[in-house]
Amino acid sequence: MNIGVIGAGYVGLVTALGLSKIGHNVINYERDIFKLKKISDKDPIINEKGLKELLKKKINKSYFITNNLDDLKKCEVLFVAVNTPHTKKGIYLGNVIDCLKKIKTKLPKDKKKIIVIKSTVTPGTLVKKIKPMYKNFKNVEFVSNPEFLREGTALDDFLNPDRIIIGTEDKFSKRKLKNIYKKYKSKIIITNETEAEMSKYFSNIFLANLISFSNEFSNYCSLFDKVNYYNVVNTFINDRRFKVENNKKFFYPSIKEYMTPGPGYGGSCFPKDTKSLLKDAEFKGLNMGILKESIKINDKRADQILDAIRKHYKKFSKKRFLIIGLGFK
């Protein structure tokens, strides 16, 4: 299938190269000349396992990079994967809106087209803000198809997803998206557009809350001389509602990793998604108390760790500390 992907950032490039790997012909649009040149020179910019090798293998064969929107005219499906950062006023949708305005000038009104929103947008964005922009294009259908990529394992997450969410009530779009992902063995879940948008936030905020809860509970455990937080967690993960038994062997879901105390949640998604959804809820008149406290706990976490280090080392200023890794963590 001929597919266009708009944006060659973290999500866009991984999506484009992933789709080319499973047999699609992909044109990746990127307006940033620096990124365009780097990728054209077979440098993916981002450091993800297997991504550089895949780029070298697929570029100018089934993956093409361009800064000309006209090159997308032959694409049956367009994936929008541009950045939606958080601001003081909430989520910034300017990049998505600007992108869709430009696409609109290039679309014919006689050919069926599907525009897939990969970008993380607050629930209701597609129905209330995006679709009305295309009210005169009866040939264009929209789908919400959120990404669940983790930094460090993004390509593997795309090629081996645990679920694929297709948010649309249009039968033609459902068939088309199912066809795109037909080589995957993972579960495909069909929802409406807003439920699909909501699913991304539910996942990220649940995990962010779990991290904040674990950090706060580990703080409480540290008030006792003979309480090891990890011993306490071990009593919980052996609960029959948590562990999985198969052939008399026990397996623990990887979600337990989010119960390990540390500096708090970071990365490109958790901080912005928690704050953007909280702002959106407040705008709608809903007070999300748990989420608000979770964010506060996370914001204080770095200072708490520094306090713990200062308490342990009496002459803190004369110590040297090694931090291994300069990634988002």
Side-chain angles (χ1 to χ4, degrees):
M1 191 183 297
N2 292 321
I3 296 174
V5 177
I6 299 165
Y10 215 97
V11 175
L13 185 59
V14 171
T15 298
L17 285 170
L19 290 171
S20 73
K21 181 175 174 61
I22 61 172
H24 299 294
N25 189 56
V26 182
I27 299 173
N28 196 182
Y29 171 83
E30 176 54 61
R31 67 181 181 179
D32 187 314
I33 300 301
F34 174 76
K35 283 183 184 177
L36 186 79
K37 187 178 184 307
K38 282 283 191 180
I39 294 169
S40 297
D41 292 338
K42 301 176 184 178
D43 180 357
I45 306 174
I46 57 174
N47 185 20
E48 281 289 337
K49 185 178 179 182
L51 198 64
K52 192 168 188 175
E53 293 77 11
L54 184 58
L55 175 61
K56 288 179 179 179
K57 185 178 179 181
K58 295 296 182 180
I59 194 163
N60 298 326
K61 293 177 183 176
S62 61
Y63 170 83
F64 304 87
I65 184 82
T66 183
N67 65 344
N68 186 354
L69 274 175
D70 288 325
D71 292 338
L72 301 176
K73 285 182 178 179
K74 292 182 180 179
C75 297
E76 304 164 64
V77 180
L78 297 175
F79 283 77
V80 175
V82 297
N83 193 21
T84 54
H86 176 76
T87 69
K88 289 182 179 179
K89 294 181 180 179
I91 192 170
Y92 177 70
L93 297 171
N95 297 327
V96 173
I97 300 300
D98 182 54
C99 165
L100 291 167
K101 283 179 179 177
K102 288 179 179 178
I103 293 172
K104 194 164 65 167
T105 64
K106 303 294 182 181
L107 288 180
K109 291 189 177 182
D110 57 340
K111 277 188 176 180
K112 195 81 170 174
K113 296 280 185 179
I114 298 173
I115 298 177
V116 181
I117 306 299
K118 268 283 179 192
S119 303
T120 300
V121 295
T122 43
T125 297
L126 207 160
V127 172
K128 293 182 179 179
K129 294 184 179 179
I130 293 176
K131 278 189 173 182
M133 294 171 58
Y134 281 73
K135 62 183 178 182
N136 295 325
F137 287 78
K138 304 300 180 186
N139 59 314
V140 178
E141 297 292 344
F142 283 92
V143 177
S144 176
N145 179 219
E147 52 83 17
F148 296 93
L149 308 179
R150 297 168 296 172
E151 291 183 23
T153 59
L155 183 59
D156 184 62
D157 288 340
F158 184 86
L159 296 173
N160 301 286
D162 43 24
R163 79 278 204 197
I164 295 169
I165 299 169
I166 299 173
T168 181
E169 294 180 280
D170 177 63
K171 291 181 180 179
F172 175 79
S173 300
K174 287 177 190 176
R175 289 198 304 271
K176 208 74 170 176
L177 267 291
K178 282 183 176 180
N179 190 40
I180 288 175
Y181 293 119
K182 66 182 179 182
K183 290 190 176 180
Y184 290 113
K185 294 179 181 179
S186 56
K187 184 178 181 64
I188 292 179
I189 304 170
I190 305 295
T191 68
N192 63 38
E193 297 94 331
T194 306
E195 287 170 341
E197 292 167 335
M198 193 80 74
S199 68
K200 175 65 185 288
Y201 281 95
F202 185 93
S203 177
N204 282 358
I205 289 171
F206 176 84
L207 295 173
N209 281 340
L210 182 57
I211 291 169
S212 287
F213 166 78
S214 300
N215 282 336
E216 191 166 53
F217 207 93
S218 71
N219 287 344
Y220 182 66
C221 288
S222 69
L223 300 176
F224 297 81
D225 292 334
K226 293 185 177 181
V227 174
N228 185 317
Y229 171 80
Y230 293 100
N231 289 340
V232 177
V233 170
N234 190 52
T235 68
F236 170 75
I237 64 172
N238 282 283
D239 187 304
R240 63 171 61 88
R241 290 162 295 187
F242 192 86
K243 68 183 178 182
V244 178
E245 184 178 0
N246 187 19
N247 293 327
K248 295 184 178 180
K249 290 183 178 180
F250 293 108
F251 301 90
Y252 302 92
S254 59
I255 198 171
K256 68 181 177 64
E257 294 168 10
Y258 291 84
M259 298 164 69
T260 301
Y265 58 78
S268 60
C269 290
F270 283 15
K272 81 177 185 74
D273 289 353
T274 49
K275 291 174 182 176
S276 290
L277 191 82
L278 179 63
K279 203 74 178 175
D280 189 62
E282 289 174 344
F283 178 76
K284 291 177 169 62
L286 177 65
N287 179 25
M288 298 184 77
I290 293 176
L291 178 55
K292 188 182 291 184
E293 288 305 314
S294 179
I295 293 169
K296 285 181 182 178
I297 291 165
N298 198 65
D299 288 344
K300 291 188 290 186
R301 189 60 181 169
D303 288 336
Q304 290 172 346
I305 287 179
L306 286 173
D307 288 342
I309 294 171
R310 289 191 184 99
K311 188 177 179 181
H312 186 77
Y313 296 105
K314 301 303 179 185
K315 295 180 180 179
F316 179 74
S317 61
K318 295 183 179 180
K319 296 294 179 183
R320 290 184 178 183
F321 296 90
L322 171 65
I323 298 174
I324 300 173
L326 285 172
F328 69 98
K329 292 182 181 177

